[in-house]
Amino acid sequence: MNHSTNDSDFNLQNPTLRAFIEVAPDSHFPIQNLPFGIFRTQETDARVGVRIGDYVLDLAALAEEGYFEDLGIDESVFYENFLNELIAQGKNQTRALRNRIGFLLQKGSDLEKKIEEKPELLYHISAVEMQLPVRIGDYTDFYSSIEHATNVGKMFRPDGEPLLPNWRHLPVGYHGRASSIVVSGTDIYRPKGQTKPNEQEPPIFGESKQLDFELEMAFIIGKDTNLGENITTEQADDYIFGLVLFNDWSARDIQKWEYVPLGPFLAKNFASSISAWVVTLDALEPFRTASPKQEPDILDYLKCEQNYSFDINLEVSIKTNIAVDETTICRTNFKYMYWNMAQQLAHHTVNGCNVRVGDMLASGTISGSEADSFGSMLELTWRGTKPLKMSDGTERKFIEDGDTVIMRGFGEYEGVRVGFGEVTGKILPAKK
């Protein structure tokens, strides 16, 4: 079947486009988005899908119908358990694939007729189980919100400067672990470790009493480099495939005792949660915006010619075990980040560190300037001194067993929302 069309010029950013599949006005997944993910059903093994409204298109099944045969893509990648092999086909191929899917989703298309004959090409989201979207080789976490870094500095160094001398000169980050990054909906066990609740007494071992979330975004590397090579800010677009929501769970009491001199360890490596759908950089193009002014002047390798911040609305809610309704506790925006993704990637590789397809780089906690825009419980409750009221009448200083943390994010232009859905995680008691 020859599906070669004029879709190479197809403009998915057109806000007037509508799919033949009904999409609610407030959906994060209109035809302008079309994010990639990995799903499985009772009938199929894990494979690549694309989200449209409340439905998932089975790309392996569409490939079998011949819809992608002229795109130069190895169609075996649609049967993989991760997106890595598809991403590695190259941005020209994945962009052409996304355009083809958008073209086929228009009303009156051949695909609309085909789905009437073969409804198994399309699954309702309630009928699928989402999987971790990428095989994450390496993971780096940054510390790039000036509001967050300033708040933490004020708490932990009340008699000194909130920001350390290097902070305004480079994107501070550390290399973390990838093994415990999990997909949205995965339960998280309360971590255990050493803490030092009394300065005059030795440390103790036990469950963390100050479990926290960190509201972050993370981007996924879409192209390999070799050892010794670096990526400039101008080249960053070529190396960033897409983004997910990222909850970097944190045990604040464990962190306080262990982090000097090398930074967090057990306080972070027990779990991080990501959203299931990878939103491409192409889909986020309408939300590019200027970054905050950086002072003093930064070194040349960190300067950006184009806008590399993104206007993405973010929020965090908590649903307790007994509450009917969730309680929204934070509203902020990705555009507040002092150091942007291009600068993070340029700094990460300026020493010749190589990156690989599927590597994940997280932004660090995203906080705004207002008290209700802080991206962690540490800040929202100011180390537990200002508890938050939940919808069931209880209070929270930190996250308790049975609590579910829900993060959402979306951009909006001309009445179109392009979003990430949500990333959720429920806290279970520590394993004995």
Side-chain angles (χ1 to χ4, degrees), residues 117-161:
E117 302 169 14
K118 293 191 171 185
E120 65 271 17
L121 300 176
L122 190 71
Y123 295 91
H124 192 271
I125 192 66
S126 62
V128 308
E129 179 186 342
M130 297 307 299
Q131 312 290 298
L132 193 70
V134 290
R135 183 175 58 249
I136 306 165
D138 280 294
Y139 154 60
T140 297
D141 192 26
F142 286 95
Y143 187 52
S144 292
S145 162
I146 196 168
E147 291 84 3
H148 174 68
T150 299
N151 288 337
V152 173
K154 286 178 180 177
M155 287 184 227
F156 289 96
R157 295 183 300 277
D159 299 325
E161 285 294 320

Side-chain angles (χ1 to χ4, degrees), residues 4 17 56 118 132 138 195-196 203 226 258-259 284 316 361 410:
S4 180
L17 280 177
V56 179
K118 293 191 171 185
L132 193 70
D138 280 294
T195 61
K196 200 170 190 296
N226 296 313
E258 75 175 359
Y259 84 102
L284 297 174
V316 183
L361 284 73
F410 65 89

Side-chain angles (χ1 to χ4, degrees), residues 58-69 75-76 78-79 121:
D58 183 339
L59 296 199
L62 289 182
E64 289 173 5
E65 295 295 324
Y67 284 107
F68 310 136
E69 60 188 12
E75 294 185 356
S76 67
F78 298 126
Y79 296 91
L121 300 176

Side-chain angles (χ1 to χ4, degrees), residues 133-134 136-141 181 218-221 244 246 274 356 358-362:
V134 290
I136 306 165
D138 280 294
Y139 154 60
T140 297
D141 192 26
I181 299 177
F219 65 90
I220 294 164
I221 295 296
V244 293
F246 192 93
I274 66 170
R356 296 173 292 188
D359 286 355
M360 186 168 287
L361 284 73

